[in-house]
Amino acid sequence: MIRAMSRRLDLLSWLTAALGVVVLGTVLASQYLGGLQPCELCLYQRWPWGAAIALGVLAVVIRPARRVLVGLAGLVILLGGLLAAYHAGVEYGWFPGFTSCTSAISAGGGSVASLRDQLLNAPVVRCDVPGFVLFGISMAGYNAILSVIAGLVLLFAGICSGSKRAA
């Protein structure tokens, strides 16, 4: 029983790091090969996956702490999923985004100088406009779905692998 849990944690440690590499590889390929430029919220969503890679590798190396590290990776990915869900909500107009990320240009009632200032200070890539949509779901939406599922699985696996059950 203990040997089976140890093997499961070994596999989850490797899968955590591998999933992070696949997700970050996909977004970097879409940016550098596909030409999709990330917004501010997109860049924030990359950090939890980078942390998951580091925690997965640490879990492989530091065997006694695997359970904690896998659970922590699950928590970090889950929090990243909540950020991605917020970003998807901003794209769908459900939530207001950061003003630095979703500012709109308004020409009414202002001078030419104020319009010029608005244009010069407008974000290059807006957070409220999805760069890519497939089947009505944006990349932030897919990230939210994947992150919540993976985060819950890893968090649950990290917590449950420490409990001693009778065979």
Side-chain angles (χ1 to χ4, degrees), residues 112-144:
V112 173
S114 104
L115 178 60
R116 182 180 53 92
D117 288 340
Q118 286 181 27
L119 286 171
L120 291 175
N121 294 323
V124 176
V125 179
R126 293 179 46 170
C127 296
D128 58 348
V129 179
F132 176 80
V133 176
L134 180 65
F135 306 120
I137 302 174
S138 67
M139 286 182 76
Y142 284 113
N143 186 20

Side-chain angles (χ1 to χ4, degrees), residues 69-158:
L69 292 169
V70 167
L72 186 59
L75 181 63
V76 167
I77 292 171
L78 185 60
L79 292 174
L82 295 177
L83 176 63
Y86 169 73
H87 185 193
V90 168
E91 291 175 337
Y92 292 119
W94 300 337
F95 311 118
F98 302 148
T99 54
S100 64
C101 194
T102 60
S103 63
I105 306 296
S106 63
S111 67
V112 173
S114 104
L115 178 60
R116 182 180 53 92
D117 288 340
Q118 286 181 27
L119 286 171
L120 291 175
N121 294 323
V124 176
V125 179
R126 293 179 46 170
C127 296
D128 58 348
V129 179
F132 176 80
V133 176
L134 180 65
F135 306 120
I137 302 174
S138 67
M139 286 182 76
Y142 284 113
N143 186 20
I145 294 166
L146 175 65
S147 297
V148 168
I149 292 170
L152 287 174
V153 167
L154 291 172
L155 186 61
F156 183 73

